[in-house]
Amino acid sequence: MSVPYQRRDTDQKDIVDLGIALQQRSNTMSAVEYLRSQNVGNDVIERVLTEPGRRRSWCR
């Protein structure tokens, strides 16, 4: 059985993880700008930066 919406693209996972780390070290706007520059979708950016409880921590 697969996990719904499980990320299959490990490059995208690394990008999102870096965006989250950037938010924690710097600020949210820097993280948003970085993630957008890496072509991460706005829905993903919003979810991972504003709803930490909805992050896929079991996939990391």
Side-chain angles (χ1 to χ4, degrees):
M1 183 169 108
S2 67
V3 177
Y5 308 110
Q6 184 172 4
R7 186 179 295 115
R8 291 181 176 87
D9 180 350
T10 56
D11 291 337
Q12 183 84 350
K13 174 199 173 299
D14 292 341
I15 290 167
V16 169
D17 286 347
L18 284 172
I20 293 167
L22 182 58
Q23 179 189 35
Q24 293 169 345
R25 291 185 187 120
S26 184
N27 59 59
T28 300
M29 198 63 222
S30 295
V32 168
E33 290 173 3
Y34 168 73
L35 292 169
R36 283 185 179 157
S37 76
Q38 299 299 310
N39 298 315
V40 175
N42 288 332
D43 56 329
V44 173
I45 294 171
E46 182 177 352
R47 179 176 51 80
V48 300
L49 297 182
T50 65
E51 301 178 50
R54 291 187 58 209
R55 293 178 187 157
R56 295 190 189 107
S57 59
W58 65 86
C59 296
R60 292 186 192 165

Coordinates of all heavy atoms in Angstrom, one line a residue:
M1 N 0.8 -1.2 0.0 CA 0.0 0.0 0.0 C 0.9 1.2 0.0 O 1.8 1.4 0.8 CB -0.9 0.0 1.2 CG -1.9 1.1 1.3 SD -3.1 0.9 2.6 CE -2.5 2.1 3.7
S2 N 0.6 2.2 -0.9 CA 1.4 3.4 -0.9 C 0.8 4.5 -0.1 O -0.4 4.5 0.1 CB 1.6 3.9 -2.4 OG 0.4 4.3 -2.9
V3 N 1.6 5.4 0.3 CA 1.2 6.6 1.1 C 0.6 7.6 0.1 O 1.2 7.9 -0.9 CB 2.3 7.2 1.9 CG1 1.9 8.4 2.6 CG2 2.9 6.2 2.8
P4 N -0.6 8.2 0.4 CA -1.1 9.2 -0.5 C -0.2 10.4 -0.7 O 0.4 10.8 0.3 CB -2.4 9.6 0.1 CG -2.7 8.6 1.1 CD -1.4 7.9 1.5
Y5 N 0.0 10.8 -1.9 CA 0.8 12.0 -2.2 C 2.3 11.8 -1.8 O 3.0 12.8 -1.7 CB 0.2 13.2 -1.6 CG -1.2 13.5 -1.9 CD1 -2.2 13.3 -0.9 CD2 -1.6 13.8 -3.2 CE1 -3.5 13.5 -1.2 CE2 -2.9 14.0 -3.5 CZ -3.9 13.8 -2.5 OH -5.2 14.0 -2.8
Q6 N 2.7 10.6 -1.7 CA 4.1 10.4 -1.3 C 5.0 10.9 -2.4 O 4.8 10.6 -3.6 CB 4.4 8.9 -1.1 CG 5.9 8.7 -0.6 CD 6.1 7.3 -0.1 OE1 5.2 6.4 -0.3 NE2 7.2 7.0 0.4
R7 N 6.0 11.7 -2.0 CA 6.9 12.3 -3.0 C 7.8 11.2 -3.6 O 8.5 10.5 -2.9 CB 7.8 13.4 -2.3 CG 8.7 14.1 -3.2 CD 9.4 15.2 -2.4 NE 8.6 16.2 -1.9 CZ 8.4 16.4 -0.6 NH1 9.1 15.7 0.3 NH2 7.6 17.3 -0.1
R8 N 7.9 11.2 -4.9 CA 8.7 10.2 -5.6 C 10.0 10.8 -6.1 O 10.9 10.1 -6.5 CB 7.9 9.6 -6.7 CG 6.8 8.7 -6.2 CD 6.0 8.0 -7.4 NE 5.0 7.1 -6.9 CZ 3.8 7.5 -6.6 NH1 3.4 8.7 -6.7 NH2 2.9 6.6 -6.2
D9 N 10.0 12.1 -6.2 CA 11.1 12.8 -6.8 C 12.1 13.3 -5.7 O 11.8 14.2 -4.9 CB 10.6 14.1 -7.5 CG 11.7 14.9 -8.2 OD1 12.9 14.7 -7.9 OD2 11.3 15.8 -9.0
T10 N 13.2 12.6 -5.5 CA 14.1 12.9 -4.4 C 14.7 14.3 -4.6 O 15.1 14.9 -3.6 CB 15.2 11.8 -4.2 OG1 15.9 11.7 -5.4 CG2 14.5 10.5 -3.8
D11 N 14.9 14.7 -5.8 CA 15.5 16.1 -6.0 C 14.5 17.1 -5.4 O 14.9 18.0 -4.7 CB 15.7 16.4 -7.4 CG 16.9 15.6 -8.0 OD1 17.7 15.1 -7.2 OD2 16.9 15.4 -9.2
Q12 N 13.2 16.9 -5.7 CA 12.2 17.9 -5.1 C 12.2 17.8 -3.6 O 12.0 18.8 -3.0 CB 10.8 17.5 -5.7 CG 9.7 18.4 -5.3 CD 9.6 19.7 -6.2 OE1 10.5 20.0 -7.0 NE2 8.6 20.4 -6.0
K13 N 12.3 16.6 -3.1 CA 12.4 16.5 -1.6 C 13.5 17.3 -1.0 O 13.3 18.0 0.0 CB 12.5 15.0 -1.2 CG 12.7 14.8 0.3 CD 13.3 13.4 0.5 CE 13.7 13.2 2.0 NZ 14.7 14.1 2.5
D14 N 14.7 17.2 -1.6 CA 15.8 17.9 -1.1 C 15.6 19.4 -1.3 O 16.0 20.2 -0.3 CB 17.1 17.5 -1.9 CG 17.5 16.1 -1.6 OD1 17.1 15.5 -0.6 OD2 18.3 15.5 -2.5
I15 N 15.0 19.9 -2.3 CA 14.7 21.3 -2.5 C 13.8 21.8 -1.4 O 14.0 22.8 -0.8 CB 14.1 21.6 -3.9 CG1 15.2 21.4 -5.0 CG2 13.5 22.9 -4.0 CD1 14.7 21.3 -6.4
V16 N 12.7 21.0 -1.2 CA 11.7 21.4 -0.1 C 12.4 21.4 1.2 O 12.2 22.3 2.0 CB 10.5 20.5 -0.2 CG1 9.6 20.7 1.0 CG2 9.7 20.7 -1.5
D17 N 13.2 20.4 1.5 CA 13.9 20.4 2.8 C 14.8 21.6 3.0 O 14.9 22.2 4.0 CB 14.7 19.1 2.9 CG 13.9 17.9 3.2 OD1 12.7 18.0 3.5 OD2 14.4 16.7 3.0
L18 N 15.5 22.0 1.9 CA 16.3 23.2 2.0 C 15.5 24.4 2.2 O 15.9 25.3 2.9 CB 17.2 23.3 0.7 CG 18.4 22.4 0.6 CD1 19.0 22.5 -0.8 CD2 19.4 22.7 1.6
G19 N 14.3 24.5 1.6 CA 13.4 25.6 1.8 C 13.0 25.7 3.2 O 12.9 26.8 3.8
I20 N 12.6 24.6 3.8 CA 12.2 24.6 5.2 C 13.4 25.0 6.1 O 13.2 25.8 7.0 CB 11.7 23.2 5.6 CG1 10.4 22.9 4.8 CG2 11.5 23.1 7.1 CD1 10.0 21.4 4.9
A21 N 14.6 24.5 5.8 CA 15.7 24.9 6.6 C 16.0 26.4 6.5 O 16.3 27.1 7.5 CB 17.0 24.1 6.2
L22 N 15.9 26.9 5.3 CA 16.1 28.4 5.0 C 15.1 29.2 5.8 O 15.4 30.2 6.4 CB 15.9 28.7 3.6 CG 16.2 30.1 3.1 CD1 17.5 30.6 3.5 CD2 16.0 30.2 1.6
Q23 N 13.8 28.7 5.9 CA 12.8 29.4 6.7 C 13.2 29.5 8.1 O 13.1 30.5 8.8 CB 11.4 28.8 6.5 CG 10.3 29.4 7.3 CD 9.1 28.6 7.4 OE1 9.1 27.4 7.4 NE2 7.9 29.3 7.4
Q24 N 13.7 28.4 8.6 CA 14.1 28.3 10.1 C 15.3 29.1 10.4 O 15.4 29.7 11.5 CB 14.3 26.8 10.5 CG 13.1 26.0 10.4 CD 13.3 24.5 10.5 OE1 14.4 24.0 10.4 NE2 12.2 23.8 10.8
R25 N 16.2 29.2 9.4 CA 17.5 30.0 9.7 C 17.4 31.4 9.3 O 18.1 32.3 9.9 CB 18.6 29.4 8.9 CG 19.0 28.0 9.3 CD 20.2 27.5 8.6 NE 20.5 26.1 9.0 CZ 20.4 25.1 8.2 NH1 20.2 25.3 6.9 NH2 20.7 23.9 8.6
S26 N 16.5 31.8 8.4 CA 16.4 33.2 7.9 C 15.0 33.7 8.1 O 14.7 34.2 9.2 CB 16.8 33.2 6.5 OG 16.8 34.5 6.0
N27 N 14.1 33.5 7.1 CA 12.8 34.0 7.2 C 11.9 33.3 6.2 O 12.4 32.7 5.2 CB 12.7 35.5 7.2 CG 13.2 36.1 5.9 OD1 12.7 35.7 4.8 ND2 14.2 36.9 6.0
T28 N 10.6 33.5 6.3 CA 9.7 32.8 5.4 C 9.8 33.4 4.0 O 9.8 32.6 3.0 CB 8.2 32.9 5.9 OG1 8.2 32.3 7.2 CG2 7.3 32.3 5.0
M29 N 10.0 34.7 3.8 CA 10.0 35.2 2.5 C 11.2 34.7 1.7 O 11.1 34.4 0.5 CB 10.1 36.7 2.6 CG 9.7 37.4 1.3 SD 8.0 37.0 0.8 CE 8.2 36.7 -0.9
S30 N 12.4 34.5 2.4 CA 13.5 33.9 1.7 C 13.2 32.5 1.3 O 13.6 32.1 0.2 CB 14.7 34.0 2.6 OG 15.1 35.3 2.9
A31 N 12.6 31.8 2.1 CA 12.2 30.4 1.8 C 11.3 30.3 0.6 O 11.4 29.5 -0.3 CB 11.6 29.7 3.0
V32 N 10.3 31.2 0.6 CA 9.3 31.3 -0.5 C 10.0 31.6 -1.8 O 9.8 31.0 -2.9 CB 8.2 32.3 -0.3 CG1 7.4 32.6 -1.5 CG2 7.3 31.9 0.9
E33 N 10.9 32.6 -1.8 CA 11.6 33.0 -3.0 C 12.5 31.9 -3.5 O 12.6 31.6 -4.7 CB 12.5 34.3 -2.7 CG 11.6 35.5 -2.6 CD 12.4 36.7 -2.1 OE1 13.7 36.6 -2.0 OE2 11.8 37.8 -1.9
Y34 N 13.2 31.2 -2.6 CA 14.0 30.0 -3.0 C 13.2 28.9 -3.6 O 13.5 28.4 -4.7 CB 14.8 29.5 -1.8 CG 15.4 28.1 -2.1 CD1 16.5 28.1 -3.0 CD2 14.9 27.0 -1.6 CE1 17.1 26.8 -3.3 CE2 15.4 25.7 -1.9 CZ 16.5 25.7 -2.8 OH 17.0 24.4 -3.1
L35 N 12.1 28.6 -3.0 CA 11.2 27.5 -3.5 C 10.6 27.8 -4.9 O 10.6 27.0 -5.8 CB 10.2 27.1 -2.5 CG 10.7 26.4 -1.2 CD1 9.6 26.3 -0.1 CD2 11.3 25.1 -1.5
R36 N 10.2 29.1 -5.0 CA 9.7 29.5 -6.3 C 10.7 29.5 -7.4 O 10.5 29.1 -8.5 CB 9.1 30.9 -6.2 CG 7.8 31.0 -5.5 CD 7.2 32.4 -5.6 NE 5.9 32.4 -5.0 CZ 5.3 33.5 -4.5 NH1 5.9 34.6 -4.5 NH2 4.1 33.4 -3.9
S37 N 11.9 29.8 -7.0 CA 13.0 29.8 -8.0 C 13.4 28.4 -8.5 O 14.0 28.2 -9.5 CB 14.3 30.5 -7.5 OG 15.0 29.6 -6.5
Q38 N 13.0 27.4 -7.6 CA 13.2 26.0 -7.9 C 11.9 25.3 -8.5 O 11.9 24.1 -8.6 CB 13.6 25.3 -6.7 CG 14.9 25.8 -6.1 CD 16.1 25.7 -7.0 OE1 16.3 24.6 -7.6 NE2 16.8 26.8 -7.2
N39 N 11.0 26.2 -8.9 CA 9.7 25.7 -9.6 C 8.9 24.8 -8.7 O 8.2 23.9 -9.2 CB 10.0 25.0 -10.9 CG 10.7 26.0 -11.9 OD1 10.2 27.1 -12.0 ND2 11.7 25.5 -12.5
V40 N 8.9 25.0 -7.4 CA 8.0 24.3 -6.5 C 6.6 25.0 -6.6 O 6.6 26.2 -6.6 CB 8.6 24.3 -5.0 CG1 7.6 23.7 -4.1 CG2 9.9 23.6 -5.0
G41 N 5.6 24.2 -6.6 CA 4.2 24.8 -6.8 C 3.8 25.6 -5.5 O 4.2 25.3 -4.4
N42 N 3.0 26.6 -5.8 CA 2.5 27.4 -4.7 C 1.8 26.7 -3.6 O 1.9 27.0 -2.4 CB 1.7 28.6 -5.2 CG 2.5 29.6 -6.0 OD1 3.6 29.8 -5.7 ND2 1.8 30.3 -6.9
D43 N 1.0 25.6 -4.0 CA 0.3 24.8 -3.0 C 1.2 24.1 -2.1 O 1.0 24.0 -0.9 CB -0.7 23.9 -3.7 CG 0.0 22.9 -4.7 OD1 1.0 23.4 -5.3 OD2 -0.5 21.8 -4.9
V44 N 2.3 23.6 -2.6 CA 3.3 22.9 -1.8 C 4.1 23.9 -0.9 O 4.2 23.7 0.3 CB 4.4 22.1 -2.7 CG1 5.5 21.6 -1.9 CG2 3.6 21.1 -3.5
I45 N 4.4 25.0 -1.5 CA 5.1 26.1 -0.7 C 4.3 26.5 0.5 O 4.7 26.5 1.6 CB 5.5 27.3 -1.6 CG1 6.5 26.9 -2.6 CG2 5.9 28.5 -0.7 CD1 6.7 28.0 -3.6
E46 N 3.0 26.8 0.2 CA 2.1 27.2 1.3 C 2.0 26.1 2.4 O 2.1 26.4 3.6 CB 0.7 27.5 0.7 CG -0.2 28.0 1.8 CD -1.6 28.4 1.2 OE1 -1.7 28.5 0.0 OE2 -2.5 28.7 2.1
R47 N 1.8 24.9 2.0 CA 1.6 23.8 2.9 C 2.9 23.6 3.8 O 2.8 23.5 5.0 CB 1.3 22.5 2.2 CG 1.1 21.3 3.1 CD 0.7 20.0 2.4 NE 1.5 19.7 1.3 CZ 2.7 19.1 1.4 NH1 3.2 18.8 2.5 NH2 3.3 18.8 0.3
V48 N 4.0 23.5 3.2 CA 5.2 23.2 4.0 C 5.7 24.3 4.8 O 6.3 24.1 5.9 CB 6.4 22.6 3.1 CG1 5.9 21.3 2.4 CG2 6.9 23.6 2.2
L49 N 5.4 25.5 4.4 CA 5.9 26.7 5.2 C 4.9 27.2 6.2 O 5.3 27.8 7.2 CB 6.4 27.8 4.3 CG 7.5 27.5 3.3 CD1 7.9 28.8 2.5 CD2 8.7 27.0 4.0
T50 N 3.6 27.0 6.0 CA 2.7 27.5 7.0 C 1.9 26.5 7.8 O 1.3 26.8 8.7 CB 1.6 28.4 6.2 OG1 0.8 27.5 5.4 CG2 2.3 29.5 5.5
E51 N 2.1 25.2 7.4 CA 1.4 24.1 8.1 C 2.4 23.0 8.4 O 2.3 21.9 7.9 CB 0.3 23.6 7.3 CG -0.8 24.7 6.9 CD -1.9 24.1 6.1 OE1 -2.4 23.1 6.4 OE2 -2.2 24.7 5.0
P52 N 3.3 23.2 9.4 CA 4.3 22.2 9.7 C 3.8 20.8 10.0 O 4.4 19.8 9.7 CB 5.1 22.8 10.9 CG 4.8 24.3 10.8 CD 3.5 24.4 10.2
G53 N 2.6 20.8 10.6 CA 2.0 19.5 11.0 C 1.6 18.7 9.8 O 1.3 17.5 9.9
R54 N 1.5 19.3 8.6 CA 1.1 18.6 7.4 C 2.3 18.2 6.5 O 2.2 17.7 5.4 CB 0.2 19.5 6.5 CG -1.2 19.6 7.2 CD -2.2 20.3 6.4 NE -2.4 19.6 5.1 CZ -2.8 20.2 4.0 NH1 -3.0 21.5 3.9 NH2 -2.9 19.5 2.9
R55 N 3.5 18.5 7.0 CA 4.7 18.1 6.3 C 4.8 16.6 6.3 O 4.3 15.9 7.2 CB 6.0 18.7 6.9 CG 6.0 20.2 6.7 CD 7.3 20.7 7.4 NE 7.3 22.1 7.4 CZ 7.9 22.9 8.2 NH1 8.7 22.4 9.1 NH2 7.9 24.2 8.1
R56 N 5.5 16.0 5.4 CA 5.7 14.6 5.3 C 6.9 14.1 6.0 O 7.8 13.6 5.4 CB 5.7 14.2 3.8 CG 4.4 14.4 3.1 CD 4.5 13.8 1.7 NE 3.3 14.3 1.0 CZ 3.4 15.1 0.0 NH1 4.5 15.6 -0.4 NH2 2.3 15.5 -0.6
S57 N 6.9 14.3 7.3 CA 8.1 13.9 8.1 C 8.5 12.5 8.0 O 9.6 12.1 8.1 CB 7.9 14.3 9.5 OG 6.8 13.7 10.1
W58 N 7.5 11.6 7.7 CA 7.7 10.2 7.6 C 8.5 9.8 6.3 O 9.0 8.7 6.2 CB 6.5 9.4 7.7 CG 5.5 9.6 6.6 CD1 5.5 8.9 5.4 CD2 4.4 10.5 6.5 NE1 4.5 9.4 4.6 CE2 3.8 10.4 5.3 CE3 3.9 11.4 7.4 CZ2 2.7 11.1 4.9 CZ3 2.8 12.2 7.0 CH2 2.3 12.1 5.8
C59 N 8.6 10.8 5.4 CA 9.2 10.5 4.1 C 10.7 11.0 4.2 O 11.4 10.8 3.2 CB 8.5 11.2 3.0 SG 6.9 10.5 2.7
R60 N 11.1 11.6 5.2 CA 12.5 12.2 5.2 C 13.4 11.3 5.8 O 13.2 10.4 6.6 CB 12.4 13.5 6.1 CG 11.7 14.5 5.4 CD 11.8 15.8 6.1 NE 10.7 16.6 5.5 CZ 10.3 17.7 6.0 NH1 10.7 18.2 7.1 NH2 9.4 18.4 5.4

